Amino acid sequence: MSIKLKTFLKKYAVFIMVVLLITAIITITILVTNYNAKYNYYEIVETKYDKPEDSFSNVFATTNNGYPTTGESVESLQSAEPSYRQLEYMGLDDELEYFALFNFGMSTFSRDHTSTGKEDPSSFNPPKIEILKWFETLVAADVNVAVLNVKSDDGFCLWPTKTTTHSIEYSSYRGGKEDLIQSFKSAAEDNSMKVGLYYSLYDKNASTYGTDDYNDFVVAQLSEITDRDVYKGTDGLSYIFIDDTYGPNVSDSFEYDYERYIEVLRTGQQMKLAISFRNYKADVDVLGYDIDALSENIWSVVDKDNPDHNNSSRDDLANATELAYIAPQLIVNLRSKDYYDPYDKPKSLDLLKQLYFKSVGYNTSFMLVLYPNDSGDLASDDVQRLEELGEAIKRSKSASVSPTKMRVLLSDHSPEIPDMISLTTETDSNFLFPDTVSILEFEFTLKTQFGRIDIRENLTNKAPLVEAYEIWVYNDGWKLVADRGNIGNRSIVMLKNAPKTFKVRLVIKQSRGVPDLRTVIFYEKK
């Protein structure tokens, strides 16, 4: 080092250190800001609580943001009602928006993205399949519906089937005497959990794949799944996801016989079975596979011919020829890879919380894909992450607070609504707004800082209607804490630093008709 450089560094050492320190602080601040923005699921109100109270006059009952509340176009929007199968899928009486899919099969042992379909069935030979432990983890994770992948694209079946020898019946596990569908369903029932199945149409092992005979093969397998008494139990199956991806080099003339599949799936005790395909539109539609699929408005009423759950506002649907109600679902891997890899790690807790609250809290079900290891158990770091996520979900709704009064805001002296406090609990209740009113006010005994508010529309024989709403709290004046879009099956408002209050107003800003709410539930911040 030259004498001049040494002299310079000695003379300006303090200045250089200050510059480096400031740079480091700025860099850390940017990183923290970006991290918080990336993984944020709390409400961000750009107006910083400074909206004037006359904002309450610009509501559904008066201006409805300039959109009509009656007429042919509104009636068309109101006609797209969910079926009873979709209501069951969404949880008419329960919370059923959180699914866990177990992807456990031949690829678990080949440790590759997919198996070839040519493997010897005897290579499926875990020392034990810890199904009871799986469900212990699901309960801790607060999962609502357990889903088992019963056949991947390698064609290996996890139930004893008469259609192929490429099945668990011909494996080394328990001498071929295991039926994973039966064991899985039994464990689910023991834990009061709904059951779903995943089934791949692409089959690398089936010699008839790509021919008309293959549709007969699929119907025979689906008939086995739905008709066997051991699978029916007390409640049957509630959901099936059929991966309808085509295999490579298949003839353009070959088509899956969707209508026939649906017909056989909905026979007998399975009439309420909700069906989802990856590409074909049925009861449930795959919204996407990562966080980029989510948006501030996720709609269920969509153009039947071209459903787009992120772009189905009233304006977007103006030229649609036929509307349909299709429930959206986000499917995400717990790990980065879509097969078991001992060197792979689960997603961060912050990312999983964002995925959960930005899907379930925005009218969308959430399916997390799990990959048990070749010992038949979930990896310990997967179990830990699932338990952490479950704890975060449970904590957010651990302290519900019921209001002592509830009233519609006709004036500052509106009477409270008798017998309507049940709206603020998870019961079979609903509140239909009067034609001229679109504000509900809730009053509480004690000042409370709310951390979560759940709102659900009444969708029994009705389409979702609410397109925009706000939540205000009273604390030395009315302060806006949430400015949201549609509600649908469930809208979860997560509040990070809302002021303590003893009054809350729910303001319907825009709706496709007179709003009808099923529940509004308040949770204290924990």
Side-chain angles (χ1 to χ4, degrees), residues 444-468:
F444 301 83
T445 302
L446 301 174
K447 273 193 171 184
T448 304
Q449 183 183 32
F450 294 107
R452 169 174 170 168
I453 302 173
D454 283 27
I455 308 170
R456 304 185 73 177
E457 288 190 69
N458 176 27
L459 301 182
T460 304
N461 301 319
K462 288 192 172 185
L465 301 177
V466 176
E467 297 169 298

Side-chain angles (χ1 to χ4, degrees), residues 51-52 55-56 470-473 478-480 504-505 507:
K51 273 198 171 185
S55 295
F56 290 133
E470 295 173 340
I471 294 177
W472 298 66
V473 300
W478 287 100
K479 305 184 187 303
L480 179 67
V504 178
R505 283 181 179 175
V507 181

Side-chain angles (χ1 to χ4, degrees), residues 151-153 200-204 209 214 243 245-248 256:
K151 192 189 85 166
S152 294
D153 60 10
S200 171
L201 288 180
Y202 177 34
D203 191 325
K204 299 173 184 175
Y209 184 77
Y214 182 70
D243 189 339
T245 304
Y246 281 91
Y256 294 135

Side-chain angles (χ1 to χ4, degrees), residues 29 39 68 70 84 95 162 275 286 300 314 387 447 496 505 507 519-520 523:
T29 301
Y39 295 122
T70 59
Y84 74 92
E95 294 184 28
K162 296 179 181 179
I275 301 173
V286 179
S300 300
R314 194 185 298 218
E387 290 176 346
K447 273 193 171 184
K496 191 171 186 178
R505 283 181 179 175
V507 181
T519 52
V520 181
Y523 299 96

Side-chain angles (χ1 to χ4, degrees), residues 278-290:
R278 190 180 294 273
N279 300 298
Y280 187 80
K281 305 310 171 188
D283 301 311
V284 184
D285 187 24
V286 179
L287 178 69
Y289 303 94
D290 56 44

